[in-house]
Amino acid sequence: MMTLKERRFILDICRTKDGVDTWEIQEKQIICTHHRFLPGFFFSLPDPHQYYQLLDGLESAYEVTPSTIRTIYGTEEGFHVQAGREVALKIEEQTQYQARLFNVDIRPEQMLCARTEMVPGGWTDVDRFSPDHDLDLAILEISCNENPHRGSHPGRITITEDTRTRVLDGPERTLIEDLFTVVQDRDPDLILFSDYDTWSGILDTKAKELGLFNSLSRTGRFHTVSARSYYSYGRMEHRLGAKIPEGRIIIDSRQSFMHREGSIQGIFLAARLSGLSPNLASRLTPGTLISTYEVYEALKRGYAVPFRKSDAEACRDITSMRLDYRGGYMLQPRPGVYADVTQIDFTSFYPSIIVKENLSPETLGNKETPGFLPLVLKPILTLRYETKARKKTDPSYAGMDGVLKWMLVTCFGYTGYKNARFGRIEVHEEITRTATRLLKECITLTQLHQGEVLHAIIDCLFIQGGPIETIQKQLEEHTGILTECEHYDWVGFLPQADGSGSF
């Protein structure tokens, strides 16, 4: 059993040139440990004899080992190369993309965590799926009263620690030097910094120009996260770039979606699930988080992660495609105002279907063998049930529940995303087919208990009449999925302008 002295909290984890650094809190002291770690990658060839010159060239420059590559579909023979992404891309190019590559762009800190079961953002003696990792951290809150998009002078800087507030003001050099001095003196583990992702680049540039030690990072070094734009749900989104510190967690309290939806507790839970630093977890989208979590679980189970997807969709004729995909089910309500209506909402409906129906890319033709997606989604689905129940009496669990909710919401969409590591469009379609079948069966079951379903959409029912408690119990028993009820004195469904129904 681990003694109290050995108990450690892994605050941060970051890559270096030849490995990974972990920053751990032990008996109120911060300890940095370097782990030499060069993971390499796997590749397989359709006919290795055809590429003997390539293999000879690789073996003369790098450590190449024949290996059995294990994927969610089975095993194949190939090679492990102790080299980086650039070499992998050259192999692709020289084999005219005939080589299949694995584990090429996996973060080394994530791979190290998967192999050693280290838990960033959590205690070494507590299960990473537990919601009870106490965060006993020294925290500062920082805000600047100027807009970073309008100028490089922060204006007045407000620093709050517990209930004490300090305001910094003055010329630019004095102001920035005072900020770095306060941070170094207080040495917080975590900083909530409004608009940090924009200010980080400005402050780092000023520190270099003025010859100051930028204490926002415990080492003075930073890792750069590049800005990027991406298309999501019909609109263009933009993620700011940032300077990520080492040994200290800094969360942009204004820009971070994960902080807004999940608070500090939720961000540290996301770090534990994904095997990444809370610095990175706070800046990822829910879709990237669920994808990263699946990658971590694959590595932990010994599966190689494909670099380029080759299984996004099987060849099908247009008729079967049109019949297979019909989207979510909706029962159009009749326009009007209805009294005494109850909404019954299924909790994490689509993820629950994935788990219950054993839906995964490799189980489409054989549901008897446990699939990868159900195995990895089940623990966070169970955790979601727990945090959802606990937050009703303890608001501190609301952040973790929010993060899990968004991760589970996006896991369905990622099954149909062409670049998702473990997605396949046929799985996406099977989920919606099953959801439609279950919702129709629930409507019939409600009617058998003298309830009228006024409206049904995707994962919830609007019911008038009938013994609601009995109906709810019957729906949960039939589907095996938990539900929540919300009662309304009245509900109005407005007619559409063309008279075709309600909205």
Side-chain angles (χ1 to χ4, degrees), residues 140-213:
L140 280 187
E141 293 186 41
I142 300 175
S143 63
C144 307
N145 75 329
E146 290 293 337
N147 188 329
H149 299 285
R150 294 178 182 169
S152 61
H153 194 292
R156 289 190 307 276
I157 299 177
T158 302
I159 302 176
T160 303
E161 182 181 21
D162 297 326
T163 59
R164 299 188 299 273
T165 298
R166 179 175 178 179
V167 178
L168 307 179
D169 204 351
E172 184 176 82
R173 180 187 178 92
T174 302
L175 186 65
I176 295 175
E177 189 171 13
D178 286 348
L179 170 64
F180 293 159
T181 300
V182 171
V183 172
Q184 190 161 16
D185 288 345
R186 304 312 302 166
D187 195 25
D189 302 311
L190 183 145
I191 299 176
L192 296 175
F193 195 146
S194 181
D195 279 319
Y196 170 78
D197 288 359
T198 308
W199 282 117
S200 63
I202 297 172
L203 293 173
D204 193 51
T205 300
K206 292 295 181 184
K208 291 173 182 175
E209 290 175 355
L210 300 170
L212 301 173
F213 175 75

Side-chain angles (χ1 to χ4, degrees), residues 408-423:
L408 289 167
V409 163
T410 53
C411 80
F412 160 70
Y414 262 57
T415 60
Y417 177 44
K418 65 178 181 179
N419 292 325
R421 310 278 193 166
F422 303 103

